[in-house]
Amino acid sequence: MKKIVMKFGGTSVATGKNIRHVANLIAKYVNQDYRIVAVVSALDGVTDKLIEAAEQAKKGNRDYIYEFKQKIFEKHLIAAKEAIEKERIQEEMEQILKTTIDELEKVLKGIIYVGELTPKSRDSVLSFGERLSTPIVCGALRDLELDAQFYTGGEVGIVTDSNFGEAIPLMNLTKHQVKEKIDPLLEKGTVLVVTGFIAATQDGITTTLGRGGSDYTATIIGAALAADEVWIWTDVDGLMTSDPKIVPSAKMLPELSFQEATEMTIFGAKAMHPRALEPAIEENIPVRIRNTFNPENPGTLLVKEQRIKLGEIVKAVTLIKSVALVNVSGAGMVGAPGTAAKVFDALGRNNINILMISQSVSEANISFVIKRSLLEKAVSTLEIALLGKGLIREVTTEDDICVVAVVGAGMKGTPGVASRIFTAIAKKGINVRMIAQGSSELNISFVVKETDGEEAVRAIHEEFELDKI
Ligand code: ADP
Ligand code: ASP
Ligand code: MG
C-alpha cells in the first residue's frame, strides 16, 4: 500500500469536465489500494481575479464587487454541475458554494468600508479560490462513491508565521499536527482533499504561502506524512528543457536532482513556488511532475542523487518575467566596505527578496533583480535608508526586463559554456544588460529586454540542441 500526496494545479481543475477527469484519476489509484491526499489549487485564473477584486474593493468599487460575486458563483456552480452527476450531491455543493461566496462578499465589503487593503485582508480574499475549488473536487469523488472529505490547510494542521502573502510554515509543529490529523483518516480509507496555497497562523488567522503555493502545500504534507512520493499533476508532461509555450520542441526531462530542479523552479520553470521542494529534500521524498491529461507518461522524477550524464552540459533554459532591475550607484561606494550589506539589509528587513545580484569591479554601482511588484517598495526603502548619507547618489530602475537562466549540473567545471551562451545571444543581436553565475555553477543567468526574452531562450535551446536529448 502506497501513501501518495497528489497536487492538482489550476489547469487540472479548470472546468467541471477536468474536475471529473481528476476524480476518475484519483479513483483509479484508490482502486489500486493507494492512500491519497489530494491537494487542490483554485480553478485556473481565479486567484488573479481575486487579486483584482481585492484591489477594486479597496477603491470602493461596489458595482464591480457585486458583479464579481455573481460571476464567481456561477463559474463554480457550472463547474460543480458538470463534475457531479448525483442530484443530492449537486444540491449539497450549491449550498456550500453559496455559504462560501457569502463569506467572501463579507470580506470584500469589509475592505470597501475601511477603504484599506492590508496583507492580512488580502490573504483572506485570496484564500477563497482554493476554498471554492476543493469542495467541488471532493463532491466529484463522492459522486464516484468514494469516501472523501475536504479540509483547509489550516484545518489539517499547517501553521505559519504571520508574514501574510508569503507566509513560512512552522515545520516542526506543522509536521506533528498534520500527521496526527491525516494518518488516522487515511487508515480508515478516506481520501482527503486539502486546499493548496492557504494555511493559518497559530491564532487561526488565514495566511497564504505565496503564488504557486499549492506545490508547497503538497510537499509540506508529503514530508509530514513521510509519504512514498509526492505527485505534482499539471498540464505538461513534466519538467522540460524549456517552457513548451516558448519552445515548442522542448523535451521532457525524465529525471533531475532536487538541486537542479530547485535551480530551475527558482528561475521560473513551471511557475513552481521557489521553496516548494524544501520539505521534500529535507525528508528525502521523491517528487514526480506529471501530466493530468496524459497520465500514461511517468513524468519527471526528482530525486536526491545527482546523475550527470556525459554530454549533458546544459539541461534547461528558463525565463522569468515580471521582474525589474534596480541600479544603485554613487562614487561614495568605491572602497567603502559594508555598502552592499547596507543595501541588502534595508531590503531584507522589508521582505524584498533578491533574485540576482551583480557589482562591477569599479564598485561604483550594484545592480540587482527583484519581483516587479516590489519595485516601488524597494525604491522607497532604499531612498529612506540610504540616500543623502554620502554613500549613494542615485537609484535607477528598469521595469521592462526579464531574466533568462541556463541550468544544468554538467556546467560545473566545463569551460566555454558562458562563451557559447553569449555568442548565441549576440548572433541574434540581443543586448545583455547584466550577468550572474551562481557559485554552485549550476546556472548562468542574465538580464535582457523583456521583448527579447523569448528569442534569447530559443537561441540557447538551439545552441545546446536541447531538443535532441
Ligand atoms: P499548475 O496550474 O499545474 O500549477 P503552472 O502554470 O504553475 O501549472 O505550471 C505549468 C506551466 O509551466 C506549463 O504549462 C508550462 O507552460 C510552464 N513552464 C515553464 N517552464 C517550464 C519547464 N521548464 N517545464 C515545464 N513547464 C514549464
Ligand atoms: N492558486 C494559487 C496561485 O494561483 C496557488 C497555486 O495555484 O499554486 O498562485
Ligand atoms: Mg502553479
Side-chain angles (χ1 to χ4, degrees), residues 7 212 215 270-272:
K7 176 259 176 177
D215 306 308
K270 208 218 139 291
M272 199 190 254

Side-chain angles (χ1 to χ4, degrees), residues 326 346-347 350 352 374-387 395 397:
V326 181
L347 296 168
N350 285 283
I352 297 165
L374 295 174
L375 184 57
E376 254 176 67
K377 188 172 162 189
V379 172
S380 66
T381 297
L382 291 173
E383 285 175 349
I384 292 165
L386 301 167
L387 276 186
V395 179
T397 63

Side-chain angles (χ1 to χ4, degrees), residues 140-152:
L141 288 167
R142 286 192 194 155
D143 204 41
L144 301 176
E145 311 282 339
L146 293 181
D147 169 21
Q149 302 277 355
F150 68 90
Y151 299 95
T152 62

Side-chain angles (χ1 to χ4, degrees), residues 7 9-11 234-236 238-240 242-243 245 264 269-271:
K7 176 259 176 177
T11 44
T234 184
D235 62 342
V236 286
L239 275 182
M240 330 249 310
S242 190
D243 186 342
K245 285 171 195 143
M264 278 177 71
K270 208 218 139 291

